[in-house]
Amino acid sequence: MDTVYIFKYLHLFVDAGLTTLRIAFFGIVLSLLFGLFISVIRYKKVPIISQICKFYIELSRNTPLLVQLFFLYFGLPKAGIHISGENCALSGLVFLGASYMAETFRSGLESVAKSQIESAAALGMGEYQIFRFVIIPQAVSVSIPSVCANIIFLIKETSVFSVCAIPDLMYVAKDLIGLYYKTDETLFMLVIAYLIILLPVSIIAYLLERKTLWVYRN
């Protein structure tokens, strides 16, 4: 293991890690927002729009992110639509992530017992109040484990962003291997970089799940 090589190019992985985190952060936040919105539409069974959302979810979940990025980055320019590499990566991540979040939140919404909704209505609560104070809090609590799993999944999916010529972790790793053939050292830095990013997320997810379980038991 060439430690001199590792310390010499460590700064490239730091910069690439920050780029990966930035895109992942905004992608995950937007995925959560759009996912929650779509799940409410499907839960309420809004005519036509609900069917459009269902089609979008099936399309997104059944096509790889790499293929979606190829379409955005190489296909759209053929139609005269040019998107920067970072915007392309962000759009692809949101397109994929929102569908997973939508299904996660929808399962949470549908897990709320009808008896609780009926009880809230019997107490004089309106439809909006029932949805805000009864359904949403329970749905979010039930969805936390799956949401955390989706977040980790989306962060790992950023490894294909290099197709958009973004200097993320995978792009830097492939570039260095092609230049210096230091495969072992480069892959070691790549693994450590993803571990540094994902391990805190996994710990936070574990603590949230434990907290949610404790709330339910008490």
Side-chain angles (χ1 to χ4, degrees):
M1 189 71 70
D2 190 345
T3 56
V4 174
Y5 170 85
I6 291 175
F7 284 106
K8 182 178 180 180
Y9 294 105
L10 183 61
H11 69 281
L12 294 179
F13 279 89
V14 173
D15 293 338
L18 293 175
T19 299
T20 299
L21 277 174
R22 184 177 69 253
I23 300 175
F25 173 78
F26 288 110
I28 289 168
V29 170
L30 291 174
S31 295
L32 287 168
L33 294 176
F34 284 121
L36 182 59
F37 178 72
I38 294 170
S39 67
V40 172
I41 290 177
R42 294 204 64 199
Y43 176 74
K44 292 291 186 179
K45 294 181 174 59
V46 180
I48 301 176
I49 301 178
S50 180
Q51 296 302 315
I52 294 174
C53 290
K54 182 179 180 180
F55 172 77
Y56 149 70
I57 289 171
E58 293 300 323
L59 174 65
S60 175
R61 284 162 60 93
N62 290 288
T63 53
L65 178 58
L66 183 61
V67 174
Q68 297 170 10
L69 292 180
F70 266 112
F71 173 77
L72 292 172
Y73 194 67
F74 297 105
L76 290 183
K78 299 292 184 180
I81 302 174
H82 298 276
I83 306 177
S84 67
E86 285 202 13
N87 288 333
C88 175
L90 179 62
S91 300
L93 192 65
V94 174
F95 184 80
L96 178 68
S99 63
Y100 279 90
M101 295 299 183
E103 288 298 274
T104 295
F105 285 130
R106 185 173 69 89
S107 64
L109 290 170
E110 294 181 350
S111 70
V112 179
K114 298 295 183 182
S115 59
Q116 295 194 37
I117 299 175
E118 293 170 356
S119 298
L123 291 173
M125 297 178 68
E127 184 177 352
Y128 172 76
Q129 291 177 312
I130 293 173
F131 193 75
R132 179 181 176 184
F133 298 109
V134 178
I135 298 177
I136 285 291
Q138 294 186 66
V140 170
S141 297
V142 169
S143 303
I144 282 178
S146 296
V147 167
C148 292
N150 287 340
I151 289 174
I152 294 173
F153 163 73
L154 291 176
I155 294 175
K156 289 191 289 186
E157 284 293 292
T158 60
S159 60
V160 301
F161 284 174
S162 58
V163 73
C164 300
I166 296 174
D168 67 334
L169 291 169
M170 187 62 71
Y171 182 93
V172 169
K174 290 192 295 185
D175 198 30
L176 289 175
I177 290 173
L179 287 171
Y180 303 108
Y181 300 100
K182 296 283 188 177
T183 305
D184 293 340
E185 291 83 352
T186 303
L187 292 180
F188 172 77
M189 287 191 284
L190 180 63
V191 170
I192 294 300
Y194 275 113
L195 188 63
I196 290 173
I197 292 173
L198 288 169
L199 189 58
V201 177
S202 298
I203 293 173
I204 293 172
Y206 172 75
L207 294 175
L208 282 174
E209 291 176 23
R210 289 288 301 273
K211 179 66 174 178
T212 304
L213 184 61
W214 182 84
V215 170
Y216 270 108
R217 287 178 175 177
N218 294 276

